[in-house]
Amino acid sequence: MQVSQQIVGQFRRKRLLIASTVAALVIILALAFRFFEEKSRIEQLSHTFASEAIQRFDRMFSPLDVSANNTLGLVGLRCTDVRFPLVEKLATLQTVRVLLLVENDSIYCSSIFGDRTLSFSELYPELAVNNQRMLLTTDNYLLKGSPVLMLWTPKSLDNQSGIVQVINIEMMSNYLLEPALPWVERAIFNVGGKSLEYGTPLIQPAIPSEDEVSYEEASMRYPFSITLFGPSPARLALMALPSQLPLALLLSLLMGYIVWLATANRMSIAWEISYGLSSQEFIVYCQPLINAQTGGCDGIELLLRWHNPRQGWVPPDVFIPMAERQNLIAPLTRFVITEAVSHLPSLPDNPAFHIALNVAASHFHDRAILDDLQHLWWPANPRPQLIVELTERDALPVVDQRVVAHLQKTGVKVAIDDFGTGHSSLSYLKTLSPDVLKIDKIFTASIGTDAINATVTDMVISLAQRLNISVVAEGVETAEQAAYLRERGVDTLQGYYFARPMPLADFPAWLSAHQSDQMT
């Protein structure tokens, strides 16, 4: 029972290990999924912020383009004639500080200062010479030192005439580039290699700090771009993980519990036995039955052994009771019968040779053992005598006792195995009329050491002889025990003293060697 409990405990520990492993994997995968999902979401938010910022600037510049094109007709006219129209135009453009008219590479008119005479190409070579449409620079005339954006709209192909709109970019950037914390900490407006950062009234290179990452997106319509600086999306996603832990933990516990329930059958001894049968992990052994008087081998008892690659050798007193409780003993018995039939050609072809087969009481229900013998044993036309050994872990109902009687009518001998233990009683001797009584090994072991059990052994032997029932003594391990049992007329001896259980395939070689030893 202790070994049985150990194996059941091993199955439970395996189930717990698998359920715990699955739960751990689920919580890791759930957190990993949430991490990558949050990281992707933050990256997408940054892209969306930059795209929307560019769209806002594009929408701001678009009406300025239209206004400049409509005003190009004023270029070339005298400043005194066009200054008031320029002021009126300026009033409608809230984002523009100054309008400048350029003709023949000369800035000759300002909406604020009136007549001017300034070299356009010397002051703003980027616009006049390099043909840029935008210039980010510093205001040197109106609000000295403040950043401005100059939007150049040429009138002639030689780039010598046109209109310059000086835009209050600091105000616009503060309005259109407000960072979206925490994924965007700094937003920068870039034109021609120069940068203006939100909240900073200086035009200077924007450099990310050590723990910041950058993302840049350019406008498709105008020569500017937006650069964003902020914490790494991975770091922000990692910081958000603790808030996801309760849900991930709940999910992992749920999955672990589902796996625990799902493995209840698969990780059970019943599943192991069924799998062992299909995977040919069971091996049929046999132990010789020795004639107590002649010393010859009168037969064998078929025994089932289980080598489980996952557990090692599982003792019969562990898996047999478990198989009975799980209603799997009948398939195991069928396997033994099938293996015995396959080895019949190598066994003695003699009716005096006995083949003993252990059959649980449950196998007698609904005539199952009769059906199995009809389909598996009799079609092989066996010559050896079949003995069905009834194990006594369960009491045999009256209806199944009739099955025993039917077996005896077909020529099958019936033995009561382990007589004196389990549910055995003297009433079995009357109701079953067995052909053989097998004395349990605990009584054999008491010979010479335990007077009470030895007395019980003598009584069982005497009772069987009075009823003309053959007696087989199990568990004979010493010459003293063998001599004692011979003296009392026991018919057959079985135990390690004569031979240990061996694979059925090895029995012919053992029998040959045993017969040779008898003749010498």
Side-chain angles (χ1 to χ4, degrees), residues 8 12 26 48 50 55 60 94 97 157 210 234 313 316 398 425 458 513:
V8 172
R12 288 178 178 173
V26 167
T48 301
Q55 290 176 9
M60 181 189 73
Q94 299 178 357
R97 287 187 182 180
L157 295 177
E210 293 182 359
W313 286 99
V398 175
S425 66
D458 292 343

Side-chain angles (χ1 to χ4, degrees), residues 274-437:
S274 300
Y275 182 79
L277 274 173
S278 63
S279 301
Q280 299 181 337
E281 296 174 0
F282 287 93
I283 306 171
V284 175
Y285 274 51
C286 67
Q287 191 170 30
L289 302 173
I290 306 299
N291 188 301
Q293 303 305 319
T294 67
C297 179
D298 284 351
I300 55 174
E301 179 185 0
L302 300 179
L303 305 169
L304 191 59
R305 297 293 183 263
W306 184 14
H307 183 260
N308 185 328
R310 300 162 296 283
Q311 301 289 337
W313 286 99
V314 183
D317 57 351
V318 172
F319 72 82
I320 294 295
M322 289 182 175
E324 290 179 352
R325 287 196 295 270
Q326 299 294 331
N327 295 322
L328 290 172
I329 194 64
L332 292 177
T333 305
R334 294 187 193 103
F335 172 76
V336 174
I337 295 174
T338 303
E339 287 293 296
V341 168
S342 68
H343 285 83
L344 280 176
S346 62
L347 298 177
D349 189 18
N350 186 347
F353 187 80
H354 303 91
I355 297 179
L357 172 69
N358 289 281
V359 179
S362 60
H363 204 160
F364 288 83
H365 298 345
D366 299 325
R367 302 170 53 92
I369 184 62
L370 289 174
D371 294 338
D372 289 339
L373 291 177
Q374 187 69 33
H375 290 91
L376 301 175
W377 180 256
W378 298 124
N381 297 316
R383 292 270 294 168
Q385 172 71 55
L386 179 64
I387 299 178
V388 170
E389 296 185 3
L390 173 62
T391 56
E392 299 182 284
R393 293 183 180 87
D394 299 308
L396 197 65
V398 175
V399 65
D400 295 336
Q401 294 173 12
R402 298 172 186 168
V403 177
V404 174
H406 191 281
L407 283 173
Q408 291 172 320
K409 289 180 181 179
T410 60
V412 177
K413 289 186 176 182
V414 175
I416 297 181
D417 194 17
D418 301 334
F419 186 78
T421 62
H423 290 274
S424 64
S425 66
L426 294 177
S427 64
Y428 266 18
L429 300 181
K430 178 182 178 182
T431 58
L432 299 182
S433 300
D435 303 287
V436 180
L437 279 185

